[in-house]
Amino acid sequence: MKWPRRRRDEPDLTRAWRDIDYAVVDLETTGLDLHRDSIASYGVVLVEGGRILPRDTYGLVRPSSPMTPEAITVHALLPADVADAPPVSHAVQVIESALADRVLVAHAAWVERSFLTRAFAATGRRLRCRIIDTAAMARAAHMRCARGPSAWPRCDRPWPRTAPRSTSCPRWTTWPGSPPCAVPMSAQD
């Protein structure tokens, strides 16, 4: 795999992780068909200096395609919830602003990258950022976080019984140094 040259405006991923600013992005979509489905909502949490900032962003998007029953089951958004939402162009402006000088972090980032690339292109923009995929990090560490705590290797702390299902392995919360899987996935690759 040939690594693209880093542009001056991109963060240097050889620095310690706390020295890089992040935008943790989660999208809900009408399905996973990249040609037919579209964004239905987005959430962005900013991380600076290793700390989560108290200003998070969440928004609904009026999708350009109908919700699939499977998508409704996953995210519990109904067509009526997004019928009067702003168009995707508004979401692109918000997300683009949040990504300025930050690395995008997402779990199974191919979903965010694919849908954001298409949404940005529809508004005449390009998605230009580095992306860290937490699912790829888990695979690289031979973790099976999707199956739950019983499938994880021994962590140095016990799994909290009251944590939500989506919480990742406690090992990642105190991880020293730089991420092992900082994958450059800019739109021009």
Side-chain angles (χ1 to χ4, degrees):
M1 174 178 181
K2 185 176 177 184
W3 292 85
R5 281 192 220 190
R6 186 175 63 85
R7 296 187 327 260
R8 275 193 281 269
D9 61 335
E10 288 182 338
D12 179 5
L13 296 179
T14 62
R15 297 182 300 172
W17 74 270
R18 282 191 169 105
D19 295 338
I20 299 172
D21 295 336
Y22 304 90
V24 182
V25 176
D26 184 41
L27 299 179
E28 300 300 342
T29 62
T30 60
L32 292 177
D33 184 320
L34 302 179
H35 300 291
R36 185 191 65 197
D37 294 315
S38 57
I39 298 171
S41 74
Y42 61 92
V44 181
V45 175
L46 303 179
V47 179
E48 290 182 4
R51 296 185 181 275
I52 296 172
L53 298 183
R55 57 179 198 264
D56 58 347
T57 303
Y58 174 78
L60 296 173
V61 176
R62 185 175 55 246
S64 58
S65 59
M67 296 269 192
T68 62
E70 296 83 8
I72 293 170
T73 301
V74 169
H75 54 59
L77 286 173
L78 299 173
D81 297 332
V82 295
D84 296 324
V88 72
S89 59
H90 176 73
V92 167
Q93 290 174 343
V94 172
I95 294 169
E96 183 179 48
S97 174
L99 288 174
D101 299 321
R102 290 187 173 88
V103 174
L104 187 152
V105 178
H107 190 74
W110 70 270
V111 174
E112 278 74 11
R113 179 183 185 208
S114 300
F115 282 94
L116 287 175
T117 297
R118 195 172 84 197
F120 272 56
T123 62
R125 295 174 169 92
R126 290 183 69 187
L127 178 64
R128 295 178 183 260
C129 64
R130 299 280 183 162
I131 298 175
I132 295 176
D133 185 337
T134 59
M137 291 169 55
R139 281 192 308 275
H142 305 291
M143 298 183 75
R144 299 198 192 308
C145 292
R147 292 186 185 159
S150 63
W152 293 336
R154 290 207 182 272
C155 291
D156 47 341
R157 283 184 272 153
W159 173 253
R161 294 187 189 275
T162 58
R165 235 177 26 160
S166 63
T167 301
S168 60
C169 176
R171 172 178 285 178
W172 296 111
T173 60
T174 59
W175 181 20
S178 299
C181 265
V183 181
M185 292 175 43
S186 55
Q188 68 272 11
D189 297 344

